[in-house]
Amino acid sequence: MSSTAFVVERYVCPTIGAILSNLAFAAPIKSLRAAVKVGKLAGLNPTPWAFMLGNTVGWLAYSFITGDLFVFFANVFGVLISIYLNIGAMKLQYYEEVVEASSSIQLIGNKATQNNTQQHDNEEDIDQSAANPFHGSSTDKRDHDLRSFTSHELKVLCMVVIWILILSVTSLASASKDKMENVVGIAVNINLALFYGAPLSTISTVFRTKSSSSIHFWTMTMNTSNAFFWCVYAFAVLDYYILIPNGIGLTFGIVQVLLYSIFPHNVVDVTVDGAQQFLSNDNEIQTESQII
């Protein structure tokens, strides 16, 4: 192997891979900020962000065990970014539930007031029902109680618990460095494969709606490019824990590119303060004139 090829495989490719990793992690930030502005996730799929959290934590632990600085710098900022993204998704889901519950409560209150006005049984009953729209309707109130956890909170919580268990067992069991590398390597392989494949969780929706709006363009682009460079680096250092998941990720990336190319990426219509706006699959807020 020539010295040039050695430098490219051992240093250039992992450096590019580390940069692309951070760009891939940061790609949804603009989309999340756009979603926050309109107050709803719309077509944005936050599931990959839960896997991103576990993925970055796992690879960070792997870099501590192996002493690989390229892996370290490819994930240390990703931990912070994934925390930010997941918190944003959880807030949006909770906000959507609050808005939906408030609208339902207001509708129930309006119906109760109308019924009281029509019946005119007695003045006291009218005043009591108007003040308390749930009066005599415990079932309606129960139906609109907010859940303790949003769906995304449960995903993130499960991911955190899993990695706490993995890292606790490998550390407290006084395992050798090789065993720790094997356990963490296998676990992070599974996590990374799920992270790369998470955008395909909406594949049935893509085929059903004939739209690729649930596939985030920049995340897809960064992940596919990133997987390619890490595959080259893995071949150079013969690290199959890096090669296998990135090979799977490259395959998933190619599948996503095909889906994105075949199916149109429609915009999602949302209304904010009475003004009609649109959230594209790249999740930037657009006006009607911009889309046309």
Side-chain angles (χ1 to χ4, degrees):
M1 179 186 296
S2 65
S3 59
T4 301
F6 178 84
V7 171
V8 170
E9 293 180 353
R10 294 295 186 96
Y11 298 100
V12 176
C13 283
T15 299
I16 295 175
I19 294 172
L20 289 177
S21 292
N22 287 289
L23 291 176
F25 296 145
I29 291 179
K30 189 174 183 179
S31 304
L32 176 62
R33 295 180 65 182
V36 169
K37 287 182 180 180
V38 299
K40 59 178 64 178
L41 286 169
L44 193 59
N45 178 19
T47 300
W49 303 344
F51 291 107
M52 182 194 298
L53 178 60
N55 175 59
T56 51
V57 169
W59 281 115
L60 200 60
Y62 186 80
S63 71
F64 292 152
I65 297 171
T66 61
D68 194 322
L69 290 177
F70 291 115
V71 176
F72 173 81
F73 285 109
N75 292 278
V76 64
F77 299 109
V79 174
L80 301 177
I81 294 172
S82 61
I83 291 174
Y84 168 76
L85 292 173
N86 283 297
I87 290 176
M90 290 185 287
K91 288 192 297 186
L92 277 175
Q93 281 192 346
Y94 183 77
Y95 178 74
E96 288 177 357
E97 290 188 5
V98 169
V99 171
E100 182 180 356
S102 298
S103 300
S104 299
I105 291 172
Q106 184 177 6
L107 179 61
I108 293 172
N110 291 338
K111 288 182 178 179
T113 302
Q114 291 174 2
N115 291 335
N116 289 328
T117 302
Q118 293 173 357
Q119 291 174 3
H120 295 291
D121 289 338
N122 57 68
E123 193 67 26
E124 181 179 352
D125 288 342
I126 294 176
D127 292 339
Q128 184 178 11
S129 298
N132 181 9
F134 292 120
H135 178 67
S137 182
S138 59
T139 302
D140 289 337
K141 181 176 181 180
R142 184 174 60 252
D143 289 342
H144 297 284
D145 283 342
L146 294 175
R147 293 179 297 174
S148 299
F149 293 97
T150 63
S151 60
H152 195 69
E153 281 179 314
L154 292 175
K155 295 174 185 176
V156 173
L157 184 60
C158 288
M159 190 60 61
V160 171
V161 170
I162 289 172
W163 275 106
I164 287 178
L165 291 174
I166 293 172
L167 297 179
S168 297
V169 170
T170 54
S171 300
L172 300 178
S174 300
S176 65
K177 181 179 177 181
D178 289 339
K179 288 184 179 180
M180 291 178 66
E181 182 178 340
N182 290 335
V183 172
V184 175
I186 292 173
V188 81
N189 263 255
I190 297 173
N191 199 138
L192 184 57
L194 293 173
F195 169 60
Y196 277 137
L200 294 179
S201 62
T202 56
I203 189 170
S204 60
T205 303
V206 172
F207 282 108
R208 186 176 67 254
T209 63
K210 307 300 181 184
S211 170
S212 60
S213 59
S214 59
I215 298 178
H216 189 271
F217 174 78
W218 289 112
T219 300
M220 173 190 68
T221 303
M222 292 296 103
N223 279 345
T224 305
S225 304
N226 177 48
F228 170 77
F229 284 104
W230 281 111
C231 281
V232 175
Y233 175 66
F235 272 119
V237 298
L238 297 178
D239 191 328
Y240 294 104
Y241 289 126
I242 297 177
L243 176 61
I244 294 174
N246 281 286
I248 296 174
L250 182 60
T251 303
F252 281 153
I254 293 173
V255 171
Q256 291 177 60
V257 170
L258 291 175
L259 289 175
Y260 191 85
S261 301
I262 295 172
F263 297 103
H265 30 283
N266 301 329
V267 296
V268 179
D269 181 8
V270 296
T271 301
V272 181
D273 296 332
Q276 191 175 37
Q277 296 177 329
F278 299 85
L279 201 60
S280 71
N281 73 303
D282 296 330
N283 298 288
E284 295 180 11
I285 296 178
Q286 303 176 1
T287 63
E288 188 171 2
S289 60
Q290 286 176 311
I291 295 175
I292 297 174

